Amino acid sequence: QMQLQESGPGLVKPSETLSLTCTVSGASISTHSWSWIRQPPGKGLEWIGLLFFSGSTNYNPSLKSRLTTSVDTSKNQFSLRLSSVTAADTAVYYCARRGPSSVADVWGQGTTVTVSS
Amino acid sequence: DIQMTQSPSSLSASVGDRVTITCRASQSIGTYLHWYQQKPGRAPKLLIYTASSLQSGVPSRFSGSGSGTDFTLTIYSLQPEDFATYYCHQTYNIPDTFGQGTKLEIK
């Protein structure tokens, strides 16, 4: 059974870079596509971007200039880096599998990131 | 970006009621519309994909319909565990977009 687990620092200072990793178990990262999604406190869901198993990516235009993603097949992980963060980037960050019809059918439990000095 | 508008934003209902949540897209999205349930402190859980297909393991009291721009999620005979927030999600165009959520509360 596929499982996803997000990890990374829970606190990031303004203007610094937020780095998160999603570790996949129960499936090979190379045979699926993956999404990052976030949820600010008390608010709705915002799609961040996706990584195809081919290595190509698509990002939300609102974040594209600050966003970098990567895949480490040796560790069965994929990662997100968001630069120049502000308080508006405070959120629970989720990784998810992008399944058939691009549905997010398997989610990690989420990790809370707070941007604060 | 495709805008997704859910209604209502909140809803009070009783155990055993039937409830309907609607989601409207700002342009046609075919059936690239999915529904999730989220409980406090938990990740969203997929309920319905491609407008009307029930995700494995989801109770049959959940039902989805629609195509194009108008979609509905219906919960027949509400159970205590169904009180949560529900989101629609379009994957027709990138960027994906979500509805703002519908909070279903106990009356």
Side-chain angles (χ1 to χ4, degrees):
Chain A
Q1 182 180 354
M2 183 187 303
Q3 292 186 314
L4 285 68
Q5 177 71 59
E6 305 89 349
S7 59
L11 181 64
V12 181
K13 289 183 168 54
S15 79
E16 295 190 345
T17 296
L18 178 164
S19 296
L20 297 174
T21 296
C22 182
T23 300
V24 179
S25 58
S28 170
I29 197 169
S30 299
T31 57
H32 300 278
S33 298
W34 310 96
S35 291
W36 286 102
I37 296 161
R38 69 180 183 179
Q39 185 171 36
K43 296 188 177 180
L45 299 163
E46 179 183 27
W47 183 79
I48 297 172
L50 73 95
L51 300 78
F52 293 97
F53 60 83
S54 62
S56 62
T57 57
N58 263 301
Y59 297 153
N60 193 320
S62 68
L63 298 169
K64 186 174 183 177
S65 64
R66 299 191 290 129
L67 189 60
T68 305
T69 56
S70 60
V71 175
D72 186 338
T73 55
S74 67
K75 295 182 179 179
N76 224 37
Q77 295 175 335
F78 60 99
S79 299
L80 169 153
R81 289 172 56 86
L82 185 65
S83 64
S84 304
V85 297
T86 69
D89 296 309
T90 293
V92 177
Y93 284 75
Y94 296 101
C95 57
R97 185 183 83 130
R98 196 168 179 88
S101 299
S102 302
V103 65
D105 57 357
V106 182
W107 294 64
Q109 66 184 31
T111 188
T112 299
V113 178
T114 301
V115 179
S116 175
S117 55
Chain B
D1 298 3
I2 297 175
Q3 304 304 313
M4 306 301 295
T5 303
Q6 278 183 243
S7 61
S9 296
S10 63
L11 175 61
S12 294
S14 301
V15 173
D17 284 354
R18 182 181 73 182
V19 299
T20 297
I21 298 168
T22 66
C23 183
R24 175 164 288 176
S26 60
Q27 66 181 74
S28 179
I29 59 171
T31 57
Y32 283 85
L33 188 284
H34 322 294
W35 291 97
Y36 304 87
Q37 176 194 68
Q38 187 180 34
K39 296 182 179 179
R42 304 293 297 274
K45 172 188 173 184
L46 177 64
L47 299 175
I48 302 285
Y49 61 96
T50 55
S52 61
S53 296
L54 190 68
Q55 174 69 345
S56 176
V58 174
S60 58
R61 63 181 180 272
F62 290 91
S63 178
S65 65
S67 66
T69 60
D70 294 309
F71 302 86
T72 60
L73 172 70
T74 301
I75 311 172
Y76 295 91
S77 189
L78 271 174
Q79 298 302 299
E81 61 268 28
D82 299 338
F83 293 94
T85 300
Y86 293 84
Y87 293 94
C88 60
H89 170 211
Q90 72 78 22
T91 58
Y92 180 80
N93 268 357
I94 287 173
D96 293 10
T97 46
F98 292 87
Q100 80 278 17
T102 296
K103 187 173 184 179
L104 178 54
E105 299 175 305
I106 300 174
K107 184 182 289 185

